[in-house]
Structure formats: structure tokens, C-alpha cells
Amino acid sequence: MPPTRDHLLARSKLAERANAFLGMAWEKGWLPTPDLDPQALWAQAIKAHGADAEHYGRSPDDVADFRERLERLCAAVEADADLNPLGRAMAWGQLSRVVKHRLAFGALWRERPGLLETPLAPPIIVIGHMRSGTTRIHKLLAADPAHSHTRYCDAYHPVPSRLGMNRVKSALEIAMLGALNPWMQSIHPMAPAEVEEELAWISAALHHSIYESQWHIPSYSAWSEERDPAPIYREMARILQTDAAHRRNADRPRVMKVPAFAEDLPTLMAQFPEARLVIAGRDRVEVHRSAVSLCANQMAIQSDTCDLGQIEELWWHKIALREGRMAAALAQWKGPIARMDFTALGEDWEREITRCYAELGLDLKDEALTAMRAQMAGSETGKHTGHSEQLRRFAYSESSG
């Protein structure tokens, strides 16, 4: 059992010790301080695949977009995030891995360009705010044997590997994160081979969403929100094609979900014009309350100067931005669509799933319902139930909503 999370910015004892040790190790010269300069990140990554690998499978515009994003994100982290030593180490780990994976994919597509011609079945895309029930919907739809889904190990270690090494790496990573942040599994349960959203794939092209939930980077968020996201979603599509070819499931509709999709819905719909959409809805105050809890949990470990007021303001902004953009995009959508309410889903998920399938024009078979029932039975005792208990302990203000 994790320790009691008695306030939103709580940190584990191990995180405190790791932070203190890293600070001392860098000060005394025992370990080098992680360098977040983009050129340093590139210099390390090119050792394995060469500097030109990035260009394979990607247009010059997509290469240029990533380069500018990396420069701006690193600058925002240095100027605004006020990371502590543990946060700086974690930021370096994430950004260095993004650059390494980018070059590794380029090298793979140089050797196997046919991967990028993989035909994909039209996906089923779950759209909605973080904490609005999208994960439950995602996992129910993914349980259907007629569908495919992304696994955690393929989301965060997406370059195909032999002998299941991506699962081994993921298991070690989850164990380490769990030790540093014992409340993470209650907020967002993870396991190497379990269903996972594609957040890591848009983050691989430096979409702002995963980074702004960990670091205070308002300048990068504002710039990226107004930037054309097409290069990000072209990269996501390339990774999806590669994953589907490697796992041999391209003929089955991929059930996909990232809350940030709501910000970029016109681009997403243009990338997947034959998609089926499932729209999740929940009371915006409850969404905000849960999103603030998640973001505060992430930020507190990586910075000693987290401001709850700033986090609350960020998520009221995100909710308004996503609702506005989603409404405008859906008004133009002519494809299949189903809407699912958080409360109704909790009251009778079988009724709501049956309706969802009918509205999407899908056949709900007995084997799918059997798999979904097993999924729901397992979730009733899952670690995520602890987050509701945490939220009941925290003071919360609705005034900005």
C-alpha cells in the first residue's frame, strides 16, 4: 500500500532522498549535471545512428518543426520550470530518449521504407478531457478481440525490439517511477503489456501536453497551442503504421485515446478521415479537480516551487480551450460518432457500450462483451480506486471555473 497522500504536492521520502543526493553529487563533481542544451542531446543521440537518420521517412518541414520545437522546449524548461535536481534528471531522461528514438526510427525507415506504406483499418478514437472517463471507455473498446490497441511498452519504447526487450525496459521503468512516486499507479495505472494511450507518440514529436503536465512551461505551451500540429500527427501516424506492421494487427481498428486530441481535432480528423469518434463527457468541475491532482503530483516531484494557483489556472484554460476547439471541429464532422457520459457509464456500462456500438455502426459480439466484463471485474479492485480517496482529502476551489 502506498503512503497516505496528505496534500496535492506531497512527495515520497525516496524522491526527497534522490533529489538531495543528485544535488550533492553534481555540486561535488561526482556525477555530471545533465545538459539540456539541444545540441548536447543531438550529439549524444547521433552516436548510434548518424546525424542524417532523422530525415528518412520525414519531410523537410517535419524535420524543421521538430528542431524548432526542441529548441523552444529546452529554452522554456531552463527559463521557467525551476526544476530541482531530480526534475532535471527526469527531464534529461525524457528528452534524450525522444531524440534517440527519433533517430532510431529514421534508421529503421531507411532500412524498411515499406513500413510507412502499411494500410491501416479506420481507427476508433476516444475524445474527451483528461479524467472524464476516457480511460474506461478506451479499455472497454480495446478489450474487444475485433479491435487492436497500443500497449504501454510500445507507447514509451516504440522502436520495435527483439526478445521483448521493450517490455523488460518498461517493467523496470514502471518499478522505478512507482518507487519515486507511489501515488502514480492510483492516478494512472500502468503495466508493460496493458492498454495505453498514444500520448507518448505525440510527445515524441514534442506536443506540449505531456510536458506541461510535469513542468511549468507557459511560454512553450502558448506557442505550441497556436502552432500547426500537422507534423506531430504525421509522426504519430508513421509510428502507428510501424507498430501495426510489427505487431501484425493493421487490419483491426486501433482504439486510440489521448485527451490532447481535443485540442487538435481538425488535424486528427484530416489524418484519419474514416475514423469513428467516441466523445466522453463529464462535469467540468470534476474534470478540473482530478486533472489538478494529477498535474500537481507530477510537478511536485520535479520542482520545489510548484504553485497550486498556477496549476489550477492552467487546467481551467485547458478545459476551455479543448471544449471550444472540440465543439467547432465536431460541428463539421460527418462520420460516425457516439457520445458517452461519465455518470451514465458508471451506472450501466453494458447499456452504454451497446448504444455506443450501435451509433458507430459496429457489431457487438458475445465474445467482446465477455472480454469487457472481465476488464470491468478487474478494474473494480484496481489501484486507480485510490485516487478517489485521495481527492476526498484535498481542499479545492471551484471559483475560477
Side-chain angles (χ1 to χ4, degrees), residues 25 27 55 65 73 104 124 128 171 179 188 195 225 241 278 299 315 325 342 349 373:
E27 182 180 354
H55 296 268
D65 182 80
L73 177 56
I124 301 167
H188 183 76
V195 179
E225 285 174 355
Q241 287 178 301
V278 181
M299 286 188 169
W315 284 102
R325 290 187 176 182
F342 181 88
W349 71 264
R373 288 169 185 148

Side-chain angles (χ1 to χ4, degrees), residues 4 146 196 233 276 308 339:
T4 299
E196 185 58 53
Y233 288 93
R276 291 176 168 87
L308 277 176
R339 294 181 182 273

Side-chain angles (χ1 to χ4, degrees), residues 255-275:
V255 183
M256 303 170 66
K257 184 270 285 192
V258 180
F261 284 168
E263 292 183 38
D264 310 311
L265 206 44
T267 301
L268 186 69
M269 294 187 302
Q271 187 69 55
F272 301 103
E274 297 180 352

Side-chain angles (χ1 to χ4, degrees), residues 284-293 391-392 394 396:
R284 68 199 318 258
V285 171
E286 292 301 315
V287 168
H288 183 264
R289 188 165 182 254
S290 192
V292 167
S293 174
L391 290 176
R392 284 193 288 270
F394 302 146
Y396 175 76

Side-chain angles (χ1 to χ4, degrees), residues 31-43:
L31 294 172
T33 302
D35 192 346
L36 296 180
D37 180 78
Q39 296 309 312
L41 297 173
W42 283 115

